């Protein structure tokens, strides 16, 4: 895990963002959680360690990390959520995610439906895409059924 965090910190520094312990803590927290997390949850975690840290500081860092592709960003139920970007880890192949709407846990999906859409839209230029499957993970299903 530390190697992944170091790689992310190097990318951050190479792009002009100064190293701070707080930035490292945010990245470490998101990498260890390995799920989509809202800015409020990140702020709650950080404010326990750093009294007086502002929500704006946390949010600004999340946005900066997203611009550098250190974090993935998605919107779930009207809220932006973030997770440590898979490409910073050992995964560099194109993939998508299943996202649990209850706990935010993610699982990789090693296929992409874009071939289907490219065939359906032969006269269009597709410049980007986003594909996520939303639902409840097995752990959350067990909790709700008991």
């Amino acid at each position: 895990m530390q190697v992944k965090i170091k790689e992310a910190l190097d990318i951050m520094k190479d792009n002009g963002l100064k190293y701070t312990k707080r930035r490292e803590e945010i990245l470490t927290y998101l990498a260890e959680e390995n799920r989509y997390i809202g800015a409020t949850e990140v702020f709650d975690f950080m404010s326990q360690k750093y009294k007086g840290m502002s929500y704006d500081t946390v949010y600004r860092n999340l946005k900066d990390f997203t611009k550098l592709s250190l974090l993935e960003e998605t919107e779930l139920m009207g809220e932006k959520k973030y997770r440590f970007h898979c490409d910073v880890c050992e995964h560099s192949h194109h993939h998508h995610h299943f996202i649990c709407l209850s706990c935010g846990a993610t699982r990789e999906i090693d296929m992409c439906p874009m071939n289907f859409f490219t065939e359906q839209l032969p006269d269009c230029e597709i410049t980007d895409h986003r594909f996520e499957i939303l639902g409840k993970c097995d752990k959350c299903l067990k909790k709700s059924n008991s």
Side-chain angles (χ1 to χ4, degrees):
M1 182 65 66
Q2 287 299 57
V3 172
K4 297 172 193 174
I5 299 302
K6 183 175 178 341
E7 287 176 29
L9 293 171
D10 288 343
I11 291 168
M12 182 187 77
K13 287 187 270 184
D14 291 346
N15 285 277
L17 281 181
K18 187 176 130 184
Y19 167 83
T20 66
K21 185 65 178 164
R22 292 175 186 198
R23 285 181 170 152
E24 182 177 356
E25 288 274 351
I26 291 171
L27 289 171
T28 300
Y29 175 66
L30 288 162
E32 288 175 351
E33 287 293 314
N34 192 30
R35 62 186 174 94
Y36 281 98
I37 300 173
T40 302
E41 188 176 339
V42 176
F43 170 72
D44 290 344
F45 171 79
M46 292 299 291
S47 62
Q48 290 174 12
K49 291 185 167 217
Y50 300 99
K51 302 298 179 209
M53 185 169 196
S54 75
Y55 178 83
D56 288 344
T57 299
V58 170
Y59 188 75
R60 188 173 44 255
N61 278 291
L62 293 172
K63 294 310 270 179
D64 288 343
F65 295 156
T66 302
K67 285 179 191 171
L68 296 176
S69 295
L70 301 177
L71 301 182
E72 297 173 4
E73 177 185 79
T74 194
E75 188 170 320
L76 297 171
M77 298 177 284
E79 179 185 8
K80 289 205 184 288
K81 304 242 181 178
Y82 306 87
R83 79 185 289 269
F84 194 73
H85 201 292
C86 293
D87 288 346
V88 177
C89 307
E90 65 275 0
H91 307 287
S92 59
H93 66 282
H94 181 76
H95 65 276
H96 296 280
H97 294 109
F98 164 83
I99 305 169
C100 179
L101 293 172
S102 295
C103 69
T106 62
R107 292 190 188 160
E108 286 185 18
I109 302 168
D110 287 322
M111 67 81 66
C112 180
M114 284 311 296
N115 289 339
F116 171 79
F117 294 111
T118 302
E119 291 170 7
Q120 297 296 311
L121 303 165
D123 55 340
C124 298
E125 177 187 6
I126 299 171
T127 58
D128 199 6
H129 72 281
R130 210 174 113 176
F131 180 73
E132 298 165 334
I133 297 177
L134 309 174
K136 280 190 173 184
C137 69
D138 56 335
K139 291 178 185 174
C140 291
L141 279 173
K142 287 177 187 172
K143 285 180 191 174
S144 64
N145 289 333
S146 45

